[in-house]
Amino acid sequence: MELIIFLAIGAIAGFAAGLFGVGGGIIIVPILYVVFTKMSYGPEVVMHLALGTSLATIIVTSISSLLAHHKKGAVIWPVFKNLAPGLIIGSFFGAGIAGLLAGEHLRLIIGIFALWVARNMFVGAKKIVDQNKVLPSRAKQVFAGTVIGVASAIFGIGGGSLTVPYLNFYGVIMQKAVGTSAACGLPIAISGALGFMLFGIKEQVNISNSIGFVHIYAFFVISIMSFFTAKLGAKAAHVLSLVVLKKCFAIMLFIVGYFFILKGLSSSI
């Protein structure tokens, strides 16, 4: 049953990663939280384990997605090079910050974040990008990358929920914003996953089939499936109109957000 669940998570998350450039973590984290809870892992580590494992799977998803987008010429590599240093530094320290937070606080933070992303995605589904704008200086892009990296590690995501709106704001069209976001997800995922591993080991987390806060079995199964479906999602991103799909995805995020907020509040009472 665990194998089937992990395969299903990989299929859905991979397709979403390729289609929306969101890394798939916003889908992986809540499902892993439920699965790991059912596997009787302690409440003090379940949220951290879901976040760390999510970031590890995004390493594979990002590679698959960025290769597909690169073939379509949708990755703006100079922008990636500017954002990458900040993404690496930010995501590593973001993992450390997440390690210091209690599980119920993480649930509340992620729930609020999911609602924010859902609202932006639903309202901005038909938004027209102002292509007259230009990206800021390299230094400002590095700073933006650092902020995105910190937030992405705390939320256990590949950063697309933040990178895509950031690039859209500065006039990058949706397809190229998604493609560049897919590339940016790789340094976030690698640095963030290593951070969760190291900080988990430091906390002497003793969980079977895991290294620190990364569940190795879940990582392998989800990654294998998401590698293939991310390519399908990337192809669909260049063919389909995203308006309806974005609204459907936003509705799902509203559900995820309220789920985590209720879980966080119930644990705090």
Side-chain angles (χ1 to χ4, degrees):
M1 181 59 69
E2 290 174 10
L3 175 63
I4 295 172
I5 292 172
F6 291 147
L7 285 172
I9 294 172
I12 298 169
F15 188 79
L19 185 60
F20 299 109
V22 294
I26 202 72
I27 296 173
I28 295 173
V29 171
I31 301 177
L32 283 182
Y33 170 79
V34 173
V35 173
F36 290 153
T37 300
K38 295 295 183 181
M39 292 171 69
S40 300
Y41 292 137
E44 70 280 0
V45 299
V46 166
M47 201 67 224
H48 300 83
L49 191 63
L51 294 171
T53 305
S54 170
L55 283 168
T57 63
I58 292 169
I59 295 173
V60 179
T61 305
S62 293
I63 293 173
S64 176
S65 182
L66 78 86
L67 288 175
H69 283 293
H70 176 66
K71 288 182 180 179
K72 298 284 187 180
V75 180
I76 309 174
W77 290 109
V79 174
F80 167 78
K81 291 177 182 178
N82 290 339
L83 292 173
L87 295 173
I88 293 169
I89 296 169
S91 57
F92 184 81
F93 283 102
I97 294 171
L100 297 174
L101 295 173
E104 60 268 21
H105 295 153
L106 277 174
R107 287 190 284 275
L108 286 171
I109 291 170
I110 293 172
I112 293 169
F113 173 73
L115 292 180
W116 177 78
V117 174
R119 183 261 177 197
N120 288 345
M121 189 168 282
F122 195 89
V123 173
K126 294 183 178 180
K127 183 179 179 180
I128 298 174
V129 175
D130 182 2
Q131 296 185 47
N132 292 320
K133 290 186 177 181
V134 294
L135 285 160
S137 65
R138 181 180 181 183
K140 289 182 178 179
Q141 289 185 51
V142 172
F143 176 75
T146 303
V147 174
I148 292 171
V150 170
S152 297
I154 293 174
F155 302 139
I157 60 175
S161 302
L162 301 172
T163 308
V164 171
Y166 171 75
L167 294 176
N168 279 167
F169 180 79
Y170 286 107
V172 179
I173 62 173
M174 191 63 193
Q175 283 79 1
K176 289 193 174 183
V178 169
T180 306
S181 171
C184 290
L186 184 57
I188 290 174
I190 293 174
S191 184
L194 286 174
F196 272 100
M197 284 183 178
L198 292 175
F199 292 118
I201 292 171
K202 184 180 178 181
E203 292 295 320
Q204 298 182 333
V205 176
N206 186 20
I207 301 174
S208 59
N209 300 316
S210 73
I211 300 176
F213 288 125
V214 175
H215 195 285
I216 302 303
Y217 176 59
F219 159 68
F220 275 118
V221 177
I222 294 172
S223 297
I224 290 171
M225 180 59 74
S226 66
F227 181 82
F228 296 104
T229 57
K231 293 181 179 179
L232 297 176
K235 290 180 180 178
H238 292 271
V239 176
L240 301 176
S241 169
L242 298 184
V243 175
V244 175
L245 291 172
K246 272 191 166 188
K247 287 187 175 181
C248 291
F249 193 68
I251 291 171
M252 187 199 71
L253 289 182
F254 275 119
I255 296 172
V256 169
Y258 282 118
F259 169 79
F260 272 130
I261 288 174
L262 290 174
K263 283 289 183 181
L265 290 175
S266 64
S267 300
S268 302
I269 297 175

